[in-house]
Amino acid sequence: MSDVTSSGKLAIYPGTFDPITNGHVDVAARAAKLFARVIVCVAVNSAKTPLFSGEERVEMIRQAVKNIKNIEVDAFEGLLVDYALEKKADAIVRGLRAVSDFEYEFQMALTNRKLSAEVDTVFLMPHEKYTYLNSTIVREIAKYGGDVSQFVPPHVKTCLMAKLKKMQ
Ligand code: COA
């Protein structure tokens, strides 16, 4: 197969990442094989009320993807398309885990395209073993003392335990 990364294209992989899971890492790694550069970016003004601060989420992602050389980590506030334009990104990457994701992702991708015709969205499917996973489930399991080892990188598990202990 030819080296598609030689085209120099930049993708942005946005999300709340509260916290990053193995499913997110899987999508980021797939994107890194297709694009020359990938910026995983944390939405700090997400409509959600995150457990972790923006800085904490960025740091957990940095550690999770430290072995993938063409991935950078950043945070943004405001509209995703404005961030994508500022970075001169060629595409936004989003993970599609199941059909249930489709309607919302379709709406978001088309809205972003309406806001800026220059930015397209590319959907990547994580490995099947991660299709049921989301950050809320991981936080919930950790909160009730369950073992999240199979869902998140080891350092994320440590951060989760420390954060929840602090909140008790
Ligand atoms: N593995 C594990 N979990 C995954 C996953 C994967 N591969 N892909 C998605 N998820 C999870 C996420 O962790 C998240 O879980 P949560 O609800 O428990 O937090 C959920 O699936 C997806 O949530 P969603 O709301 O679809 O996306 P998000 O929170 O990750 O990111 C933004 C949404 C930040 C990209 C979007 O809100 C945004 O762009 N905000 C900026 C403002 C803006 O421009 N708004 C206009 C958009 S049209």
Side-chain angles (χ1 to χ4, degrees), residues 7-76:
S7 56
K9 300 233 182 260
L10 167 67
I12 284 180
Y13 178 30
T16 307
F17 301 113
D18 186 42
I20 187 163
T21 67
N22 290 337
H24 293 125
V25 175
D26 182 275
V27 171
R30 285 172 201 279
K33 285 189 189 155
L34 295 172
F35 292 90
R37 282 172 63 214
V38 175
I39 304 178
V40 180
C41 56
V42 171
V44 289
N45 66 332
S46 142
K48 299 172 181 176
T49 311
L51 176 67
F52 292 99
S53 70
E55 293 79 28
E56 287 169 328
R57 283 178 278 156
V58 164
E59 199 38 54
M60 282 187 281
I61 299 170
R62 274 210 180 109
Q63 231 177 304
V65 298
K66 66 171 190 265
N67 293 328
I68 311 176
K69 296 290 167 239
N70 58 334
I71 298 186
E72 297 153 45
V73 187
D74 195 11
F76 76 102

Side-chain angles (χ1 to χ4, degrees), residues 1-2 8-9 12 16-17 26 34 43 48 83-84 95 101 105-106 119 133 149 160-161 165-166:
M1 208 171 106
S2 63
K9 300 233 182 260
I12 284 180
T16 307
F17 301 113
D26 182 275
L34 295 172
K48 299 172 181 176
Y83 177 80
D101 279 346
E105 291 297 337
F106 188 67
V119 187
L133 203 55
S149 307
L160 260 171
M161 306 312 285
K165 201 170 167 198
K166 219 167 143 187

Side-chain angles (χ1 to χ4, degrees), residues 143-157:
K143 188 173 153 192
Y144 294 111
D147 184 9
V148 294
S149 307
Q150 54 183 316
F151 309 127
V152 296
H155 68 280
V156 173
K157 178 183 168 181

Side-chain angles (χ1 to χ4, degrees), residues 82-99:
D82 289 340
Y83 177 80
L85 289 173
E86 180 198 317
K87 293 286 172 188
K88 298 188 170 46
D90 297 285
I92 292 168
V93 164
R94 291 285 290 169
L96 262 193
R97 291 160 301 166
V99 179

